[in-house]
Amino acid sequence: MSQPLFQITEEHLETGLRGFPVGYCTTSSVDPDKGLFYRGKPVSELCHWSAEKTIYLLYHGQEPSEQELKKFIENLQQRSHLSKDLIAHIHHLPRRGHPMALFSCAIMMLGMYELTGDYKEDCLNLIAKVPLLGAYLINYHANFGVTPAAEPHKGYIENFVHMLACPKSEGLTEAMRLFNILHYDHGGGNLSTFVGKAVASGLEDLYGSIAAAMNALAGPRHGRANQESLEFVKGLVAQLGSQSTQEEVEQAIRDKLANKELVYGFGHAVLRVEDPRASVYYEVGERHYAEEPLMQMALKLRKAGTKVLKENPKITNPYPNVDAVSGALLTAAGFPYPEYYTVLFGISRCVGIAIQIVYERTVARGGKGTPIVRPKYIYRPY
Ligand code: MLT
């Protein structure tokens, strides 16, 4: 008899399945005290890798040789195209609504054109095509202008930035590479990943499962927290000015808490330390964008928020998460369009979710795949 991994008592009900083990995640892990690892490697190391090499690691489970990486890049490049009809459909989506609503519709449409029904093929196709899809969608929704034709040979991120029709600054490609790499995966139980795998457990195809996952990501408590957190940082700059002192920022946070307002960008369901993804962004922000007002405020908040939140013993994680600073970095690097930050998150997170779906559908349980998700709810009228 194996030992119980978790004892469920009544107090665990209606707590969002926090901490319930439900399966294995082969791509990444989130340690409460050390943060995110892809296939055992810390993100502080991976943030120096190319997007293609990091995706290879997540997909194949090991670091590629030069030859393997070259072949993998060629494979992705061959898949990096979208049909004219699909692009025309994207250009007919209603512009009203949050860009994430359009993004999940666009993924469903991508499936209508590209579905093979083989989870592995569909996973690689999706990974190759999703930056192109995202670029068309953002350019259309934001009215940036005509999307430049794809040039996949430039590189996975380089091509995405090339296809964005907005003005580009020098540091944009590097900021997009970092953002993309650091959002690929976050263990098996984050909401969008869990939803994507749950939908796939009913044998929905990869595109439908990913579209469902993107709807889960769209919520302000999950992926859209990056947009909301930047608005919070902007609000503080507007309230206190760009020359504010550390003490003034602290006082502003105390006032917000006293008014029962949310302090955005702090805390996490699993982490009990500063999110190492945030630490990478802070480091880059300090190095390259220390003069930018939003980055300055994000850096002041890093200390002030933690100090004030630590005073409340009920707060289990008073530290910044990835959303506390990712928007400030994107803005400082020349992409000041917060409405699209969750789409950028989605373009990246599709990678990890798709690879996890491939595992659950084709490898788990000796290749049989995990059965349809069907947890128990206890009947209790109220
Ligand atoms: C994520 O990257 O998905 C977020 O940090 C949320 C989570 O891990 O639950």
Side-chain angles (χ1 to χ4, degrees):
M1 265 292 264
S2 56
Q3 292 296 309
L5 291 168
F6 192 80
Q7 298 281 12
I8 299 174
T9 64
E10 222 179 324
E11 289 71 50
H12 291 108
L13 303 180
E14 299 189 334
T15 59
L17 293 171
R18 292 287 166 97
F20 285 50
V22 291
Y24 297 103
C25 177
T26 60
T27 47
S28 68
S29 59
V30 183
D31 181 295
D33 301 317
K34 296 195 187 109
L36 177 60
F37 293 76
Y38 291 165
R39 301 275 189 176
K41 290 188 187 294
V43 286
S44 54
E45 179 184 333
L46 297 169
C47 67
H48 304 291
W49 287 24
S50 69
E52 293 92 330
K53 187 173 170 184
T54 316
I55 296 171
Y56 184 103
L57 175 77
L58 283 167
Y59 188 81
H60 288 288
Q62 62 201 28
E63 198 175 332
S65 66
E66 246 176 65
Q67 206 45 35
E68 285 166 335
L69 182 58
K70 191 167 169 275
K71 261 182 81 184
F72 187 66
I73 291 173
E74 281 164 8
N75 186 343
L76 287 182
Q77 287 176 354
Q78 277 156 15
R79 295 169 191 264
S80 298
H81 51 83
L82 298 177
S83 77
K84 284 205 172 76
D85 287 350
L86 172 62
I87 295 164
H89 286 309
I90 291 174
H91 290 159
H92 279 96
L93 283 167
R95 267 211 185 88
R96 63 185 99 97
H98 193 276
M100 279 304 279
L102 281 80
F103 186 55
S104 80
C105 288
I107 287 175
M108 288 302 286
M109 294 196 303
L110 182 65
M112 293 174 208
Y113 282 92
E114 300 287 347
L115 181 71
T116 69
D118 174 330
Y119 283 108
K120 283 187 193 154
E121 271 300 294
D122 288 334
C123 169
L124 285 173
N125 278 334
L126 178 79
I127 291 172
K129 292 171 193 292
V130 75
L132 282 66
L133 191 80
Y136 276 104
L137 191 130
I138 291 172
N139 291 337
Y140 163 69
H141 190 272
N143 236 332
F144 281 156
V146 179
T147 304
E151 293 191 34
H153 66 272
K154 285 181 185 284
Y156 191 75
I157 298 299
E158 293 77 359
N159 182 43
F160 172 63
V161 174
H162 149 78
M163 290 181 74
L164 287 173
C166 58
K168 320 248 172 75
S169 65
E170 212 190 292
L172 186 58
T173 305
E174 175 56 8
M176 288 288 187
R177 182 192 66 80
L178 265 185
F179 187 95
N180 195 253
I181 287 179
L182 293 178
H183 283 83
Y184 286 149
D185 215 31
H186 209 240
N190 67 80
L191 181 67
S192 49
T193 306
F194 181 70
V195 166
K197 291 186 295 188
V199 171
S201 78
L203 299 191
E204 168 61 342
D205 64 56
L206 187 93
Y207 294 95
S209 305
I210 294 287
M214 291 303 107
N215 289 334
L217 190 72
R221 286 286 157 93
H222 191 16
R224 210 172 79 206
N226 60 9
Q227 177 181 348
E228 311 271 323
S229 297
L230 186 69
E231 298 305 337
F232 180 73
V233 176
K234 274 188 182 168
L236 283 172
V237 174
Q239 182 190 333
L240 305 173
S242 53
Q243 304 301 316
S244 58
T245 63
Q246 199 62 40
E247 290 69 34
E248 285 168 335
V249 177
E250 262 176 54
Q251 190 52 48
I253 297 172
R254 280 184 222 287
D255 294 346
K256 286 190 184 299
L257 290 173
N259 284 337
K260 306 238 173 302
E261 288 174 47
L262 272 179
V263 176
Y264 289 85
F266 286 79
H268 194 273
V270 179
L271 294 168
R272 296 293 171 263
V273 289
E274 178 174 293
D275 188 329
R277 299 172 294 179
S279 310
V280 172
Y281 293 141
Y282 284 130
E283 200 262 309
V284 174
E286 255 171 345
R287 195 152 24 100
H288 295 294
Y289 303 111
E291 303 306 314
E292 297 289 332
L294 293 179
M295 183 52 76
Q296 286 176 345
M297 181 56 81
L299 288 163
K300 284 176 209 161
L301 260 176
R302 179 190 197 182
K303 286 196 192 121
T306 304
K307 182 172 172 198
V308 174
L309 294 173
K310 262 187 178 172
E311 290 163 8
N312 181 347
K314 286 199 190 128
I315 296 178
T316 46
N317 176 7
Y319 300 102
N321 60 47
V322 69
D323 304 313
V325 57
S326 62
L329 183 79
L330 287 170
T331 303
F335 195 77
Y337 315 106
E339 226 190 329
Y340 302 104
Y341 291 175
T342 314
V343 175
L344 297 180
F345 191 159
I347 290 169
S348 166
R349 185 54 60 88
C350 278
V351 171
I353 302 176
I355 299 172
Q356 292 199 35
I357 289 176
V358 169
Y359 167 77
E360 288 219 345
R361 303 290 16 109
T362 68
V363 185
R365 294 178 76 86
K368 288 201 305 266
T370 54
I372 188 165
V373 169
R374 196 0 179 145
K376 179 184 170 87
Y377 278 73
I378 295 162
Y379 176 65
R380 188 181 72 175
Y382 75 99

